[in-house]
CSV table of all heavy atoms in Angstrom, one decimal:
chain,number,residue,atom,x,y,z
Q,408,VAL,N,7.8,-8.3,34.3
Q,408,VAL,CA,7.2,-7.1,33.8
Q,408,VAL,C,6.0,-6.7,34.7
Q,408,VAL,O,5.3,-7.6,35.1
Q,408,VAL,CB,6.8,-7.2,32.3
Q,408,VAL,CG1,5.8,-8.3,32.1
Q,408,VAL,CG2,6.2,-5.9,31.8
Q,409,ASP,N,5.9,-5.5,35.2
Q,409,ASP,CA,4.8,-5.0,36.0
Q,409,ASP,C,4.0,-4.0,35.3
Q,409,ASP,O,4.5,-3.2,34.5
Q,409,ASP,CB,5.4,-4.3,37.2
Q,409,ASP,CG,6.2,-5.2,38.1
Q,409,ASP,OD1,5.8,-6.4,38.3
Q,409,ASP,OD2,7.2,-4.8,38.6
Q,410,VAL,N,2.7,-4.1,35.5
Q,410,VAL,CA,1.8,-3.1,34.9
Q,410,VAL,C,1.1,-2.5,36.1
Q,410,VAL,O,0.5,-3.2,36.9
Q,410,VAL,CB,0.8,-3.8,33.9
Q,410,VAL,CG1,-0.1,-2.7,33.3
Q,410,VAL,CG2,1.5,-4.5,32.8
Q,411,GLU,N,1.1,-1.2,36.1
Q,411,GLU,CA,0.5,-0.5,37.3
Q,411,GLU,C,-0.4,0.6,36.8
Q,411,GLU,O,0.0,1.4,35.9
Q,411,GLU,CB,1.6,0.0,38.2
Q,411,GLU,CG,1.1,0.6,39.5
Q,411,GLU,CD,2.2,1.3,40.3
Q,411,GLU,OE1,3.3,1.6,39.8
Q,411,GLU,OE2,1.9,1.7,41.4
Q,412,ARG,N,-1.5,0.7,37.4
Q,412,ARG,CA,-2.5,1.8,37.1
Q,412,ARG,C,-2.5,2.6,38.3
Q,412,ARG,O,-2.8,2.1,39.4
Q,412,ARG,CB,-3.8,1.2,36.7
Q,412,ARG,CG,-4.8,2.2,36.1
Q,412,ARG,CD,-5.7,1.5,35.1
Q,412,ARG,NE,-6.4,2.5,34.4
Q,412,ARG,CZ,-7.7,2.7,34.5
Q,412,ARG,NH1,-8.4,2.0,35.3
Q,412,ARG,NH2,-8.3,3.7,33.8
Q,413,ARG,N,-2.2,3.9,38.2
Q,413,ARG,CA,-2.2,4.7,39.3
Q,413,ARG,C,-2.4,6.2,38.9
Q,413,ARG,O,-2.4,6.5,37.8
Q,413,ARG,CB,-0.8,4.6,40.0
Q,413,ARG,CG,0.4,5.0,39.2
Q,413,ARG,CD,1.6,5.0,40.0
Q,413,ARG,NE,2.9,4.8,39.3
Q,413,ARG,CZ,3.5,5.8,38.6
Q,413,ARG,NH1,3.0,7.0,38.6
Q,413,ARG,NH2,4.6,5.5,37.9
Q,414,HIS,N,-2.5,7.1,39.9
Q,414,HIS,CA,-2.6,8.5,39.7
Q,414,HIS,C,-1.3,9.1,39.6
Q,414,HIS,O,-0.4,8.8,40.4
Q,414,HIS,CB,-3.5,9.1,40.8
Q,414,HIS,CG,-4.9,8.7,40.8
Q,414,HIS,ND1,-5.8,9.3,39.9
Q,414,HIS,CD2,-5.6,7.8,41.4
Q,414,HIS,CE1,-7.0,8.8,40.1
Q,414,HIS,NE2,-6.9,7.8,41.0
Q,415,ASN,N,-1.0,9.9,38.6
Q,415,ASN,CA,0.3,10.6,38.6
Q,415,ASN,C,0.2,11.9,39.4
Q,415,ASN,O,-0.8,12.2,40.1
Q,415,ASN,CB,0.7,10.9,37.1
Q,415,ASN,CG,-0.2,11.9,36.4
Q,415,ASN,OD1,-1.1,12.5,37.0
Q,415,ASN,ND2,0.0,12.0,35.1
Q,416,ALA,N,1.3,12.6,39.4
Q,416,ALA,CA,1.4,13.8,40.2
Q,416,ALA,C,0.3,14.8,39.9
Q,416,ALA,O,-0.1,15.6,40.8
Q,416,ALA,CB,2.8,14.5,40.0
Q,417,GLN,N,-0.2,14.8,38.7
Q,417,GLN,CA,-1.3,15.8,38.3
Q,417,GLN,C,-2.7,15.2,38.7
Q,417,GLN,O,-3.7,15.9,38.4
Q,417,GLN,CB,-1.3,16.0,36.8
Q,417,GLN,CG,-0.1,17.0,36.3
Q,417,GLN,CD,1.2,16.3,36.3
Q,417,GLN,OE1,1.3,15.1,35.9
Q,417,GLN,NE2,2.2,16.9,36.8
Q,418,GLY,N,-2.7,14.0,39.2
Q,418,GLY,CA,-3.9,13.4,39.6
Q,418,GLY,C,-4.6,12.7,38.5
Q,418,GLY,O,-5.8,12.2,38.7
Q,419,ASP,N,-4.0,12.5,37.3
Q,419,ASP,CA,-4.6,11.8,36.2
Q,419,ASP,C,-4.3,10.3,36.4
Q,419,ASP,O,-3.2,9.9,36.8
Q,419,ASP,CB,-4.0,12.2,34.9
Q,419,ASP,CG,-4.2,13.7,34.6
Q,419,ASP,OD1,-5.3,14.2,35.1
Q,419,ASP,OD2,-3.3,14.4,34.1
Q,420,LEU,N,-5.2,9.5,35.9
Q,420,LEU,CA,-5.0,8.0,36.0
Q,420,LEU,C,-4.1,7.7,34.8
Q,420,LEU,O,-4.3,8.0,33.7
Q,420,LEU,CB,-6.3,7.3,35.8
Q,420,LEU,CG,-7.0,6.6,37.0
Q,420,LEU,CD1,-8.2,5.8,36.5
Q,420,LEU,CD2,-6.0,5.7,37.7
Q,421,VAL,N,-3.0,7.0,35.1
Q,421,VAL,CA,-2.1,6.5,34.1
Q,421,VAL,C,-1.7,5.1,34.3
Q,421,VAL,O,-1.8,4.6,35.4
Q,421,VAL,CB,-0.7,7.3,34.1
Q,421,VAL,CG1,-1.0,8.8,33.6
Q,421,VAL,CG2,-0.1,7.3,35.4
Q,422,THR,N,-1.4,4.4,33.2
Q,422,THR,CA,-0.9,3.0,33.3
Q,422,THR,C,0.5,3.0,32.9
Q,422,THR,O,0.9,3.5,31.8
Q,422,THR,CB,-1.8,2.1,32.3
Q,422,THR,OG1,-3.1,2.3,32.6
Q,422,THR,CG2,-1.4,0.6,32.5
Q,423,VAL,N,1.3,2.4,33.8
Q,423,VAL,CA,2.8,2.4,33.6
Q,423,VAL,C,3.2,0.9,33.5
Q,423,VAL,O,2.8,0.1,34.3
Q,423,VAL,CB,3.5,3.1,34.7
Q,423,VAL,CG1,5.0,3.2,34.4
Q,423,VAL,CG2,2.9,4.5,34.9
Q,424,SER,N,4.1,0.6,32.5
Q,424,SER,CA,4.6,-0.7,32.5
Q,424,SER,C,6.1,-0.6,32.7
Q,424,SER,O,6.8,0.2,32.1
Q,424,SER,CB,4.4,-1.4,31.1
Q,424,SER,OG,3.0,-1.5,30.9
Side-chain angles (χ1 to χ4, degrees):
V408 60
D409 296 320
V410 179
E411 187 187 10
R412 192 145 190 251
R413 58 171 158 82
H414 290 278
N415 67 8
Q417 285 75 43
D419 302 324
L420 254 187
V421 290
T422 307
V423 184
S424 299

